[in-house]
Amino acid sequence: MIRWMWGVVVAVGIGAGLAAPAAACVVALDPGHSRDRLGATSARGVGEWFFNRALTEQVAASLTAQGVKAVVINPAGGPIGLKDRTRQATEAGADLFLSIHHDSVQPQYLTPWQVDGKARSYSDRFAGFGVFVSGRNTGFAASQAVGQDLADALLAAGLRPSLHHAEPIPGENRPLLDARRGIYRYDDLVVLHSAPMPAVLLEAAVIVNREEESRAITPAFRDQVAGAVTQAVTAFCRKH
Ligand SMILES: [Zn+2]
């Protein structure tokens, strides 16, 4: 029944001569960090960049399947400056910049443990996603709209935000624009304010959390996040 209805919708769209608006939209996907500077370290000792790269590939595949052109910034993970990331997005004609990360916590929350005989550290105190936008981005309102749609889709998929970046302690204290959706304002994030197009940074999961790390490496989790990103991006592209 759904397939039949979908077929009718598509047929009507084509029959009315409507171009697929998403096809004209270009999204830059920015897997955070690089091979030489891996970002956070997970509870079991895996560098954040590996999580970011795997999730970005899933997001790119999902967007491509929906007719959105996805350009992955620095896919091989070589050394790259933050402003080079947004410059490459501009050169690719990106309409939207999405930086994909996985989250950590402040050092005082970390507890040492051993994994395969190696010293690691974890914190099970916080779990969930975070969405960041910059008030210095020239497309701040559009960035917020994408962030809201993304958070709503993540919530609908059963995921929950982590509010630990709002805690009034050194290194955190980020203003929450929307606590229910886990949307923070972080004006000085370079990839967000240097992007000459709307820009959003997603912290998909807290990988120092042992349970959340285990979930974050599953195809099911990546599918959930990729689906949510695709919903938010296609909504942006329809309006763009
Ligand atoms: Zn990161």
Side-chain angles (χ1 to χ4, degrees):
M1 178 62 90
I2 291 170
R3 187 167 294 175
W4 177 81
M5 289 175 67
W6 177 243
V8 169
V9 170
V10 171
V12 168
I14 293 169
L18 299 173
C25 199
V26 180
V27 177
L29 299 176
D30 172 47
H33 313 283
S34 56
R35 280 186 184 275
D36 61 331
R37 301 175 74 176
L38 292 167
T41 303
S42 78
R44 294 172 180 82
V46 179
E48 180 194 338
W49 178 78
F50 293 100
F51 292 82
N52 298 341
R53 182 184 64 169
L55 180 55
T56 298
E57 285 174 359
Q58 189 69 32
V59 170
S62 177
L63 287 170
T64 303
Q66 292 300 314
V68 178
K69 184 177 176 188
V71 177
V72 176
I73 304 296
N74 196 32
I80 184 173
L82 293 172
K83 288 186 178 172
D84 290 330
R85 295 174 186 265
T86 49
R87 183 179 52 73
Q88 289 180 14
T90 306
E91 288 168 0
D95 302 294
L96 176 66
F97 186 91
L98 177 65
S99 196
I100 295 177
H101 288 247
H102 287 70
D103 215 350
S104 186
V105 301
Q106 292 300 317
Q108 62 268 33
Y109 293 128
L110 293 171
T111 302
W113 71 323
Q114 296 269 321
V115 180
D116 297 332
K118 293 199 170 121
R120 305 294 185 198
S121 41
Y122 74 92
S123 171
D124 296 336
R125 186 182 180 107
F126 306 108
F129 66 84
V131 174
F132 292 80
V133 291
S134 169
R136 291 172 63 193
N137 180 287
T138 52
F140 183 41
S143 304
Q144 285 185 88
V146 173
Q148 287 170 2
D149 287 345
L150 173 55
D152 284 344
L154 292 167
L155 290 166
L159 302 175
R160 292 292 172 261
S162 177
L163 306 183
H164 69 285
H165 295 296
E167 191 179 0
I169 59 172
E172 301 292 3
N173 212 12
R174 304 286 164 215
L176 269 166
L177 290 173
D178 187 332
R180 191 178 65 79
R181 294 182 169 106
I183 301 176
Y184 298 87
R185 178 169 175 160
Y186 196 162
D187 286 354
D188 292 338
L189 271 179
V190 174
V191 289
L192 296 185
H193 73 70
S194 69
M197 69 286 289
V200 172
L201 185 146
L202 171 66
E203 297 279 7
V206 179
I207 54 171
V208 291
N209 179 306
R210 293 176 293 184
E211 187 185 341
E212 190 143 276
E213 178 189 16
S214 297
R215 189 163 49 244
I217 59 174
T218 63
F221 174 81
R222 289 181 183 136
D223 270 349
Q224 281 182 315
V225 177
V229 170
T230 301
Q231 277 188 47
V233 168
T234 50
F236 169 83
C237 291
R238 280 194 297 273
K239 289 181 259 177
H240 186 68

